[in-house]
Amino acid sequence: MPSPIPISRFLPRSLTPTKSLRPCSSPNQFQGCRFSYAKPSRALQRRFWCTVIWDELKLLDLLGSGGFGWVYKGTYYGQIVAIKKVRKCVKNKLAARQSFWAELNVAHLLHENIVRVVAATTSVPANPEDEDSVGTIIMEYAGGTSLDHRIYNCTEPLGMRGCLTFSHDIVSGLSFLHSHHIVHLDLKPANVFITEAGRCKIGDFGCSLKLPIGCDLTPTGQLRHLAGTYTHRAPELLKGGRATLKADIYSFAITLWQMMSRDQPYSGDRQCVMYAVVAYNRRPTFSTIFDESSLGRGIRSIISKCWECEPNRRPSAVELLENINCLEAQL
């Protein structure tokens, strides 16, 4: 279950959350400035802490839709952005709100392999179309191509070099998230975006969790996390266990396998697949491409370690990044 973040966390102490203030804005948004990774001054952070200027926000194209809302391409202060409108879910209103707040787990973080939040608010202009809105999130536009599209809809395979380059980007982003005690919990090719420069950025944090500082797993009393995509969900989560940082490492293993194999990890009934993963340690099958070279065998070894059944036997993101660097050195 995504961890809700109190509105007060995004507001100066002197202010209280009201609709007119349009609360929950991220300090990564600045009027008249280009969005960058440079840390803003405290003065700028305070100045635009609580402001989303709707007149500067323009919707262009619908990029996609899901159970909790729509994502549009648009502009904010003349710059291309992605706008996510989270809507109330009739069947599960609480889940929609949790998804919105989970997206803001990364609102204060800046990293080249993470889709950054520009601004976010729970308030919307008076518009009948937005009556069922939970909130709006303005994000960096990371490009119109996902890793999923690159794997399955392009004639050219990624090749060893492409797989390792993309893996380096993804694991670098994971390492950064994990250093801030954030677990993504829905890492898969569809949630990895490829920029025009050919770099990967992790996005869609609607299932993410902020873990307690000094602890790499959710507290015993917290409700168990059941969100995410079952084909990439770690077996301990399929069993209803507590979420840890190592759950993302398992998801990365499935993702890397997809990059290499260009195939779907499983086929058949969902419940049967989940049971086989948990009870019989079922994993996707390695094709001959993994045995044709030393690099292929090295990638196979990394995948095998990352999708171990026991979380503590999987490498950390830092260790994984070192292993990928060693393979890249062989290119």
Side-chain angles (χ1 to χ4, degrees), residues 72-114:
Y72 295 86
K73 182 179 180 181
T75 61
Y76 192 50
Y77 282 100
Q79 296 185 49
I80 300 295
V81 293
I83 302 109
K84 186 169 188 176
K85 291 190 172 186
V86 182
R87 66 185 176 191
K88 297 175 185 176
C89 181
V90 176
K91 295 183 179 180
N92 196 338
K93 295 181 180 179
L94 178 60
R97 295 183 183 277
Q98 290 169 337
S99 176
F100 173 82
W101 290 110
E103 290 276 7
L104 300 186
N105 280 329
V106 296
H108 286 54
L109 302 182
L110 296 174
H111 189 272
E112 60 184 350
N113 299 120
I114 302 296

Side-chain angles (χ1 to χ4, degrees), residues 185 187 225 227-252 254 274 277-278 283 306-311 314:
L185 291 177
L187 183 68
H225 192 278
T229 306
Y230 80 95
T231 54
H232 294 68
R233 199 182 307 163
E236 64 270 19
L237 298 184
L238 293 176
K239 290 188 292 186
R242 293 186 292 170
T244 72
L245 299 177
K246 297 297 183 71
D248 284 345
I249 303 300
Y250 179 94
S251 301
F252 168 76
I254 303 294
M274 293 169 61
V277 168
V278 172
R283 301 291 185 269
C306 289
W307 66 27
E308 284 276 4
C309 182
E310 292 296 326
R314 301 171 201 154

